Amino acid sequence: MHAAIITAYDAPPAYGEHPEPVADGENEMVVDVLAAGLHHLTRAKANGTHYTATGAFPLVPGVDGVVRDPQGRLRYAILDDTAFGTFAERTVIDVRRSVLLPEDADPVRVAAAMNPGMSSWVALRRRVSFSEGQRVLILGATGSAGRMAIQIAKRFGASQVIAVGRDATRLKTLRDLGADQTVTFDDVAVAADVDVVLDFVWGAPAADAMLSLLKARADRGAPLNWIQIGSIAGATAPIPSAALRAARLQIVGSGIGSVSPSDFITEFPELAAAVTDGTLDVQARPVALADIARAWDEKTGERLVFVP
Ligand SMILES: NC(=O)c1ccc[n+]([C@@H]2O[C@H](COP(=O)([O-])OP(=O)(O)OC[C@H]3O[C@@H](n4cnc5c(N)ncnc54)[C@H](OP(=O)(O)O)[C@@H]3O)[C@@H](O)[C@H]2O)c1
């Protein structure tokens, strides 16, 4: 069968022949892959920067995808840490890490949306006690995860969603998704009185934004839940200790590990339904898996989805 194959961390995957996968665990099954998204996690595992990287090659990338099971049913599945991913005609899934999808689900939309969508979905559902009427600020709102976070925060009943980004033109388009206010990082203090921050950037931009927000809050005793989700602007952030003393700030992370696999899986069906029924807007672009070497480093605002 064909697959995308990585033989060195500093080279893009090559499309080529690969031995068939074999299911050997009690809950495992070999499935046909229909669509698999190129997420940041996919890249990190493929280029050796993720902490699970073992240095063992060859490696087939791909952390999740929409598949057809041996009974002909459509499923969305996430894989455990494995050298045999979803960027292949067939792969092995653990059925316990998958959910059935309706037959009319669009595999490309679902494969594009589940990883970025799940990031804010579980953060608000599983990492804080979010309640209707709270105000949410999103750092890094112009990306795939940020765009979905706007829609998900609104769906969960946020009274106000403030989208923060660095590109004023892209920011303006976010009002169509439900953002009540759009501001650049420089002006973040105008939106200081929020209850929850969904932070996809971390690094210096997040630290600067945090200080600006805290200084400008009308009531520094009002709780502010800062949920650290992504680190696109830096793995570390220079946060002064005073930030944690001088305001009622609580910083928590959200991702695989701080949210258990079973909690993620419990949330899958509702998110998949919102993606499938078109409630959530998704920017996805299908690409033939055979074109992976060309598309791998493409810079695009859309989520690339490989179709074997
Ligand atoms: N923990 C989880 O469960 C989870 C799940 C999914 C994703 N994530 C993480 O969330 C982050 C965003 O993912 P994504 O899928 O939305 O990525 P994406 O579609 O590539 O979007 C990246 C976003 O980050 C912004 N950005 C990039 N570099 C920046 C910088 N130096 N300063 C400020 N903003 C910057 C981009 O702004 P422009 O529009 O201006 O380029 C864009 O808004 C990634 O780190 C990803 O790994 C975490």
Side-chain angles (χ1 to χ4, degrees):
M1 68 155 196
H2 289 101
I5 302 161
I6 291 182
T7 50
Y9 283 138
D10 57 358
Y15 183 71
E17 286 284 342
H18 193 282
E20 290 284 342
V22 178
D24 49 18
E26 192 189 339
N27 297 295
E28 289 186 352
M29 55 168 76
V30 175
V31 292
D32 290 325
V33 179
L34 304 187
L38 178 51
H39 314 301
H40 284 278
L41 178 61
T42 318
R43 282 186 193 284
K45 287 189 170 215
N47 66 21
T49 55
H50 194 259
Y51 68 93
T52 56
T54 60
F57 299 107
L59 179 67
V60 175
V63 296
D64 67 349
V66 175
V67 303
R68 197 168 288 287
D69 72 17
Q71 288 77 38
R73 295 173 301 189
L74 217 53
R75 290 178 180 273
Y76 168 74
I78 52 168
L79 303 191
D80 207 346
D81 296 328
T82 171
F84 204 129
T86 48
F87 285 17
E89 288 180 284
R90 283 171 288 285
T91 194
V92 175
I93 67 162
D94 181 329
V95 71
R96 295 167 302 179
R97 297 170 71 99
S98 74
V99 285
L100 288 169
L101 296 171
E103 248 330 285
D104 61 352
D106 176 346
V108 170
R109 274 175 60 82
V110 175
M114 291 300 281
N115 169 282
M118 196 48 75
S119 64
S120 53
W121 189 288
V122 295
L124 292 173
R125 279 266 169 93
R126 302 281 170 169
R127 297 300 285 143
V128 294
S129 323
F130 182 72
S131 49
E132 279 188 25
Q134 291 195 325
R135 295 154 297 182
V136 177
L137 182 140
I138 300 165
L139 290 183
T142 53
S144 296
R147 288 171 53 84
M148 299 206 74
I150 294 167
Q151 303 171 72
I152 287 164
K154 278 286 180 184
R155 182 187 174 95
F156 288 176
S159 61
Q160 225 196 342
V161 174
I162 299 117
V164 182
R166 57 183 180 174
D167 182 328
T169 311
R170 294 186 75 189
L171 268 177
K172 277 196 196 122
T173 65
L174 302 182
R175 288 204 177 249
D176 294 342
L177 296 178
D180 299 288
Q181 199 177 351
T182 59
V183 291
T184 60
F185 281 89
D186 292 340
D187 296 328
V188 75
V190 301
D193 293 312
V194 293
D195 304 293
V196 176
V197 173
L198 299 174
D199 174 7
F200 294 98
V201 299
W202 206 235
D208 291 346
M210 188 184 285
L211 289 185
S212 300
L213 285 177
L214 294 179
K215 281 184 198 159
R217 276 169 88 72
D219 176 7
R220 282 194 277 133
L224 174 61
N225 280 311
W226 193 286
I227 316 182
Q228 206 302 302
I229 305 176
S231 49
I232 200 103
T236 57
I239 296 164
S241 60
L244 293 154
R245 292 193 301 271
R248 199 156 154 215
L249 168 68
Q250 182 162 294
I251 306 175
V252 297
S254 183
I256 298 166
S258 54
V259 179
S260 70
S262 66
D263 282 351
F264 265 103
I265 290 157
T266 305
E267 300 293 343
F268 278 171
E270 207 184 321
L271 174 58
V275 172
T276 301
D277 69 16
T279 316
L280 296 177
D281 181 80
V282 180
Q283 288 190 320
R285 179 147 63 86
V287 179
L289 185 60
D291 290 336
I292 191 159
R294 178 189 55 73
W296 184 251
D297 290 320
E298 201 176 306
K299 299 277 176 278
T300 167
E302 300 160 309
R303 183 55 38 109
L304 295 185
V305 176
F306 288 105
V307 179

